[in-house]
Amino acid sequence: MSSHPAKVSSRAARKVAAPAQSKALSTTKQKLEKLGLRSAQDLILHLPLRYEDETEIMPIAVLRPGRSAQIQGVVIRSEASYQPRRQLTAVLQDESGVIGLRWLTFYPNQQQQMQVGRRWRVRGEVRGGLHGYEIIHPKVTVADSPLPAALTPVYPTTDGLSQPSLRKAILQALASAELNDTLEADSVNKLGLQTFSLAIRTLHGPTPDMDAQALIEHTHPSWLRIKFDELLAQQLSLAAARDARRSLRARKLTLNSKPESLCARLLQALPFSLTSAQARVVGEISVDLQREFPMYRLLQGDVGSGKTVVAALAALQAIDAGVQVALMAPTEILAEQHYQKLKIWCEPLGVEVCWLTGSITPKARKLANEAISGGRARLVVGTQALIQDTVEFFDLGLVIVDEQHRFGVAQRLSLSRKGQDAQTGAALSASDDFVPHQLTMSATPIPRTLAMTFYADLEVSSIDTLPPGRTPVLTKLISSVRREEVVAHVAQACTTGQQVYWVCPLVQESETLDLQTAVDTHLALTQALPKCRVGLVHGQLHQTEKAQVMKAFREAKIDVLVATTVIEVGVDVPNASLMVIEHAERFGLAQLHQLRGRVGRGVAKSVCVLLYQTPLSLLARQRLRAMYETQDGFEIAQRDLDLRGPGELLGSRQSGVTLLRFADLATDSALVVAAREVATDLRKNAPHIVERHLARWMRGREDFLRS
Ligand code: ADP
Ligand code: MG
């Protein structure tokens, strides 16, 4: 099974959400435990978030807003006021000038501290205030005490655990903990890395001669060593998870290669032949399905590359071998579309396809459940409702998850466990606990380094060419002041039989407001385009209504389809050749790419108009430029990664990125590659080092290792 990032992060979330009412008595030890710090080893790997430079006192006259400062001076004015709001203000003076200090909440003893004439050392961030510079909520300490010789580390902490007590605990741990290298000295040298002990000691207590900037920006050689170790641990544990899966048992789904096999008959019936890329991935999947341990394969292919037929062939191989197959999609529109297509492909072959979503009537649902648990339904297509507890499969052998990036890892796992439960449950003889094979499909190409970590526990197949006959989509960037012209162009296009998507943006995090925009746009376009049939589809429509609209569009009974992003993934209407995206500046890059992928699927020359509203933020400008400059999904994904970082690209909760505390996949790709090579070598040649390294890095994270 895959790693468990979702589990880890929900755990972390709980930790944060835990009420701070834990007894006032709670000792430092308990507070440390709250941070997951139990042993000396835990403490030494609790590394600073940042550093503060407290090695110098600055003259007040040189301070600039936005910078942190440490100054020393005498209080020359002090006032507690209660109108218009409660606050404490003071003015501190040194030989060079004065600066304001301000507290928005304060205790009586702070007011006493700030009595005129007293001398303090003060630290904080300088801001430009109404009456000159000021520091809000400064840290106040005794003046004229000796200055530290090194940068002061600032650690991640929790309520009620002060930096000084945390620092003390860590210093103690450093004195007692074992800091030996997990790697051989030789390979540390060869990799050009620092030793572990030097790196750890440096990061906890850098001396003033060290490059402060590099320490703060995590580019210092000491950070590189730690990040390398962390990435190595990740690679090793993902590889272990992969191995563990091989000890699970799955049905061996032998390929029927007779001419009357289901696969052969589908290939015969298709109006096209597979591209060589499709044929290759079909082969890869087919080999996996014939193994006795479960397949966990990711099928990557840009929008329109033809993943569905590959999924169908995998399903038919499995069905021919005698098991049930489930295909799950993230939205009803998409599930419905798969259902329609698979029905057309499979039913003539005598394969019963069953439709199951959250919104079917109780009666239809009961019938579906019976067909599924009785084993009559061989291919079950639907949405997440599939994974609800009420569904019992008779003999689920393969699970296909489409547009997998929409699902959390937890959901992925839940569905694959479904197979286990169905097997061990009442349905079959209790002795055979097989795990279903799993194929996940994604149209979001993942840059190589991300794939190496996020998907390191999966096999990956890529469809790297599009079916023949596609013409590239012409992308136009048009300012919204020219919206009228675009509407006129749409009117023109309709008269020549073209079909058009008009995409409305998400306005807010509010479904009602988004809906309102779509409804308004629909009304406006209906009026502006009297000769066109304008339809509307959005997320709030009942699923049957949605399906009706999509059907009408597919059958060319609608010319212009006003839509929200419900059409973002997977929707396939080859005759649609013009797409207008309003407020394109509000969409993410991956989303724009997915949307644009809805056109350019047929032979007609397709155009995608990105209507934008000025002024554009820098980020929006970069995104639109990327859309204009390239159509290559991998290129787009790489630019997206550069613009946003991996957390957002994959959705940090499901990315597995949250497991990395120090390394950053966007900037540390060279380290990822190195760690991967070393991991492979160690697993082959030095299992004792693997064990040692994981023991250091995976302590307390057993749930990550377990599979
Ligand atoms: P996606 O990978 O985005 O899910 P689809 O599976 O929806 O792509 O395929 C996009 C379109 O291309 C569909 O209309 C499909 O029937 C068609 N298609 C798939 N494979 C081929 C092929 N080898 N030759 C021609 N058309 C194909
Ligand atoms: Mg698809």
Side-chain angles (χ1 to χ4, degrees), residues 504-505 513-523 536-538 562-564:
C504 307
L513 287 179
D514 291 342
L515 177 60
Q516 193 56 47
T517 325
V519 170
D520 291 348
T521 308
H522 176 244
L523 190 67
L536 172 64
V537 66
H538 55 74
V562 175
T564 57

PDB file of all heavy atoms in Angstrom, residues 504-505 513-523 536-538 562-564:
ATOM      1  N   CYS A 504     -17.063  30.440 -16.771  1.00  0.00           N
ATOM      2  CA  CYS A 504     -17.125  31.485 -15.751  1.00  0.00           C
ATOM      3  C   CYS A 504     -16.217  31.101 -14.594  1.00  0.00           C
ATOM      4  O   CYS A 504     -16.104  29.938 -14.247  1.00  0.00           O
ATOM      5  CB  CYS A 504     -18.534  31.617 -15.196  1.00  0.00           C
ATOM      6  SG  CYS A 504     -19.752  31.847 -16.465  1.00  0.00           S
ATOM      7  N   PRO A 505     -15.609  32.082 -14.001  1.00  0.00           N
ATOM      8  CA  PRO A 505     -14.648  31.775 -12.947  1.00  0.00           C
ATOM      9  C   PRO A 505     -15.322  31.519 -11.607  1.00  0.00           C
ATOM     10  O   PRO A 505     -16.488  31.848 -11.411  1.00  0.00           O
ATOM     11  CB  PRO A 505     -13.835  33.057 -12.860  1.00  0.00           C
ATOM     12  CG  PRO A 505     -14.817  34.120 -13.198  1.00  0.00           C
ATOM     13  CD  PRO A 505     -15.750  33.525 -14.209  1.00  0.00           C
ATOM     14  N   LEU A 513     -22.403  32.491  -4.821  1.00  0.00           N
ATOM     15  CA  LEU A 513     -21.957  33.594  -5.667  1.00  0.00           C
ATOM     16  C   LEU A 513     -21.442  33.086  -7.010  1.00  0.00           C
ATOM     17  O   LEU A 513     -21.690  33.685  -8.050  1.00  0.00           O
ATOM     18  CB  LEU A 513     -20.873  34.394  -4.958  1.00  0.00           C
ATOM     19  CG  LEU A 513     -21.383  35.271  -3.815  1.00  0.00           C
ATOM     20  CD1 LEU A 513     -20.237  36.005  -3.157  1.00  0.00           C
ATOM     21  CD2 LEU A 513     -22.417  36.268  -4.335  1.00  0.00           C
ATOM     22  N   ASP A 514     -20.738  31.977  -6.982  1.00  0.00           N
ATOM     23  CA  ASP A 514     -20.236  31.405  -8.234  1.00  0.00           C
ATOM     24  C   ASP A 514     -21.404  31.059  -9.136  1.00  0.00           C
ATOM     25  O   ASP A 514     -21.396  31.324 -10.332  1.00  0.00           O
ATOM     26  CB  ASP A 514     -19.452  30.117  -7.956  1.00  0.00           C
ATOM     27  CG  ASP A 514     -18.162  30.423  -7.245  1.00  0.00           C
ATOM     28  OD1 ASP A 514     -17.745  31.592  -7.297  1.00  0.00           O
ATOM     29  OD2 ASP A 514     -17.594  29.503  -6.653  1.00  0.00           O
ATOM     30  N   LEU A 515     -22.400  30.472  -8.517  1.00  0.00           N
ATOM     31  CA  LEU A 515     -23.582  30.078  -9.248  1.00  0.00           C
ATOM     32  C   LEU A 515     -24.219  31.311  -9.874  1.00  0.00           C
ATOM     33  O   LEU A 515     -24.591  31.317 -11.043  1.00  0.00           O
ATOM     34  CB  LEU A 515     -24.548  29.400  -8.274  1.00  0.00           C
ATOM     35  CG  LEU A 515     -25.878  28.990  -8.859  1.00  0.00           C
ATOM     36  CD1 LEU A 515     -25.650  28.003  -9.979  1.00  0.00           C
ATOM     37  CD2 LEU A 515     -26.748  28.369  -7.784  1.00  0.00           C
ATOM     38  N   GLN A 516     -24.310  32.380  -9.065  1.00  0.00           N
ATOM     39  CA  GLN A 516     -24.920  33.609  -9.532  1.00  0.00           C
ATOM     40  C   GLN A 516     -24.195  34.109 -10.784  1.00  0.00           C
ATOM     41  O   GLN A 516     -24.834  34.462 -11.769  1.00  0.00           O
ATOM     42  CB  GLN A 516     -24.862  34.663  -8.410  1.00  0.00           C
ATOM     43  CG  GLN A 516     -25.745  35.861  -8.670  1.00  0.00           C
ATOM     44  CD  GLN A 516     -27.203  35.438  -8.900  1.00  0.00           C
ATOM     45  OE1 GLN A 516     -27.757  34.636  -8.139  1.00  0.00           O
ATOM     46  NE2 GLN A 516     -27.814  35.942  -9.969  1.00  0.00           N
ATOM     47  N   THR A 517     -22.881  34.112 -10.771  1.00  0.00           N
ATOM     48  CA  THR A 517     -22.123  34.565 -11.934  1.00  0.00           C
ATOM     49  C   THR A 517     -22.488  33.746 -13.162  1.00  0.00           C
ATOM     50  O   THR A 517     -22.698  34.292 -14.248  1.00  0.00           O
ATOM     51  CB  THR A 517     -20.601  34.364 -11.727  1.00  0.00           C
ATOM     52  OG1 THR A 517     -20.310  34.592 -10.374  1.00  0.00           O
ATOM     53  CG2 THR A 517     -19.811  35.271 -12.609  1.00  0.00           C
ATOM     54  N   ALA A 518     -22.545  32.450 -12.987  1.00  0.00           N
ATOM     55  CA  ALA A 518     -22.844  31.582 -14.124  1.00  0.00           C
ATOM     56  C   ALA A 518     -24.252  31.863 -14.645  1.00  0.00           C
ATOM     57  O   ALA A 518     -24.472  31.956 -15.857  1.00  0.00           O
ATOM     58  CB  ALA A 518     -22.697  30.117 -13.717  1.00  0.00           C
ATOM     59  N   VAL A 519     -25.190  32.014 -13.726  1.00  0.00           N
ATOM     60  CA  VAL A 519     -26.573  32.277 -14.129  1.00  0.00           C
ATOM     61  C   VAL A 519     -26.669  33.620 -14.852  1.00  0.00           C
ATOM     62  O   VAL A 519     -27.295  33.729 -15.910  1.00  0.00           O
ATOM     63  CB  VAL A 519     -27.513  32.234 -12.895  1.00  0.00           C
ATOM     64  CG1 VAL A 519     -28.899  32.747 -13.244  1.00  0.00           C
ATOM     65  CG2 VAL A 519     -27.584  30.818 -12.338  1.00  0.00           C
ATOM     66  N   ASP A 520     -26.014  34.642 -14.305  1.00  0.00           N
ATOM     67  CA  ASP A 520     -26.021  35.967 -14.939  1.00  0.00           C
ATOM     68  C   ASP A 520     -25.397  35.927 -16.328  1.00  0.00           C
ATOM     69  O   ASP A 520     -25.926  36.500 -17.278  1.00  0.00           O
ATOM     70  CB  ASP A 520     -25.237  36.977 -14.083  1.00  0.00           C
ATOM     71  CG  ASP A 520     -25.964  37.290 -12.785  1.00  0.00           C
ATOM     72  OD1 ASP A 520     -27.155  36.915 -12.665  1.00  0.00           O
ATOM     73  OD2 ASP A 520     -25.340  37.897 -11.898  1.00  0.00           O
ATOM     74  N   THR A 521     -24.265  35.247 -16.418  1.00  0.00           N
ATOM     75  CA  THR A 521     -23.583  35.171 -17.710  1.00  0.00           C
ATOM     76  C   THR A 521     -24.463  34.467 -18.731  1.00  0.00           C
ATOM     77  O   THR A 521     -24.560  34.873 -19.891  1.00  0.00           O
ATOM     78  CB  THR A 521     -22.248  34.411 -17.578  1.00  0.00           C
ATOM     79  OG1 THR A 521     -21.505  34.997 -16.518  1.00  0.00           O
ATOM     80  CG2 THR A 521     -21.447  34.473 -18.854  1.00  0.00           C
ATOM     81  N   HIS A 522     -25.123  33.419 -18.269  1.00  0.00           N
ATOM     82  CA  HIS A 522     -26.010  32.673 -19.156  1.00  0.00           C
ATOM     83  C   HIS A 522     -27.105  33.579 -19.701  1.00  0.00           C
ATOM     84  O   HIS A 522     -27.389  33.602 -20.901  1.00  0.00           O
ATOM     85  CB  HIS A 522     -26.613  31.493 -18.395  1.00  0.00           C
ATOM     86  CG  HIS A 522     -27.611  30.723 -19.195  1.00  0.00           C
ATOM     87  ND1 HIS A 522     -28.945  30.650 -18.852  1.00  0.00           N
ATOM     88  CD2 HIS A 522     -27.484  30.016 -20.346  1.00  0.00           C
ATOM     89  CE1 HIS A 522     -29.590  29.924 -19.752  1.00  0.00           C
ATOM     90  NE2 HIS A 522     -28.723  29.518 -20.664  1.00  0.00           N
ATOM     91  N   LEU A 523     -27.682  34.374 -18.801  1.00  0.00           N
ATOM     92  CA  LEU A 523     -28.747  35.290 -19.198  1.00  0.00           C
ATOM     93  C   LEU A 523     -28.216  36.321 -20.194  1.00  0.00           C
ATOM     94  O   LEU A 523     -28.803  36.544 -21.266  1.00  0.00           O
ATOM     95  CB  LEU A 523     -29.294  35.992 -17.943  1.00  0.00           C
ATOM     96  CG  LEU A 523     -30.568  36.794 -18.160  1.00  0.00           C
ATOM     97  CD1 LEU A 523     -31.722  35.840 -18.491  1.00  0.00           C
ATOM     98  CD2 LEU A 523     -30.898  37.604 -16.903  1.00  0.00           C
ATOM     99  N   LEU A 536     -26.493  25.955 -19.985  1.00  0.00           N
ATOM    100  CA  LEU A 536     -25.804  26.274 -18.732  1.00  0.00           C
ATOM    101  C   LEU A 536     -25.561  25.003 -17.932  1.00  0.00           C
ATOM    102  O   LEU A 536     -26.468  24.186 -17.756  1.00  0.00           O
ATOM    103  CB  LEU A 536     -26.669  27.242 -17.914  1.00  0.00           C
ATOM    104  CG  LEU A 536     -26.200  27.555 -16.479  1.00  0.00           C
ATOM    105  CD1 LEU A 536     -24.860  28.271 -16.487  1.00  0.00           C
ATOM    106  CD2 LEU A 536     -27.242  28.404 -15.756  1.00  0.00           C
ATOM    107  N   VAL A 537     -24.340  24.842 -17.451  1.00  0.00           N
ATOM    108  CA  VAL A 537     -24.074  23.717 -16.565  1.00  0.00           C
ATOM    109  C   VAL A 537     -23.189  24.194 -15.413  1.00  0.00           C
ATOM    110  O   VAL A 537     -22.264  24.963 -15.590  1.00  0.00           O
ATOM    111  CB  VAL A 537     -23.418  22.527 -17.330  1.00  0.00           C
ATOM    112  CG1 VAL A 537     -22.034  22.884 -17.842  1.00  0.00           C
ATOM    113  CG2 VAL A 537     -23.359  21.292 -16.457  1.00  0.00           C
ATOM    114  N   HIS A 538     -23.582  23.798 -14.209  1.00  0.00           N
ATOM    115  CA  HIS A 538     -22.785  24.171 -13.043  1.00  0.00           C
ATOM    116  C   HIS A 538     -22.938  23.106 -11.968  1.00  0.00           C
ATOM    117  O   HIS A 538     -23.773  22.206 -12.079  1.00  0.00           O
ATOM    118  CB  HIS A 538     -23.197  25.543 -12.516  1.00  0.00           C
ATOM    119  CG  HIS A 538     -24.658  25.651 -12.212  1.00  0.00           C
ATOM    120  ND1 HIS A 538     -25.219  25.054 -11.119  1.00  0.00           N
ATOM    121  CD2 HIS A 538     -25.659  26.264 -12.874  1.00  0.00           C
ATOM    122  CE1 HIS A 538     -26.519  25.317 -11.114  1.00  0.00           C
ATOM    123  NE2 HIS A 538     -26.813  26.036 -12.170  1.00  0.00           N
ATOM    124  N   VAL A 562     -22.428  27.635 -21.328  1.00  0.00           N
ATOM    125  CA  VAL A 562     -21.878  28.429 -20.230  1.00  0.00           C
ATOM    126  C   VAL A 562     -21.633  27.461 -19.074  1.00  0.00           C
ATOM    127  O   VAL A 562     -22.524  26.695 -18.710  1.00  0.00           O
ATOM    128  CB  VAL A 562     -22.869  29.531 -19.804  1.00  0.00           C
ATOM    129  CG1 VAL A 562     -22.342  30.278 -18.589  1.00  0.00           C
ATOM    130  CG2 VAL A 562     -23.114  30.484 -20.969  1.00  0.00           C
ATOM    131  N   ALA A 563     -20.427  27.491 -18.538  1.00  0.00           N
ATOM    132  CA  ALA A 563     -20.095  26.469 -17.543  1.00  0.00           C
ATOM    133  C   ALA A 563     -19.201  27.030 -16.460  1.00  0.00           C
ATOM    134  O   ALA A 563     -18.450  27.982 -16.676  1.00  0.00           O
ATOM    135  CB  ALA A 563     -19.379  25.302 -18.230  1.00  0.00           C
ATOM    136  N   THR A 564     -19.290  26.445 -15.289  1.00  0.00           N
ATOM    137  CA  THR A 564     -18.288  26.714 -14.265  1.00  0.00           C
ATOM    138  C   THR A 564     -17.183  25.682 -14.464  1.00  0.00           C
ATOM    139  O   THR A 564     -17.200  24.926 -15.438  1.00  0.00           O
ATOM    140  CB  THR A 564     -18.882  26.562 -12.851  1.00  0.00           C
ATOM    141  OG1 THR A 564     -19.409  25.246 -12.745  1.00  0.00           O
ATOM    142  CG2 THR A 564     -19.981  27.580 -12.610  1.00  0.00           C
TER     143      THR A 564
END
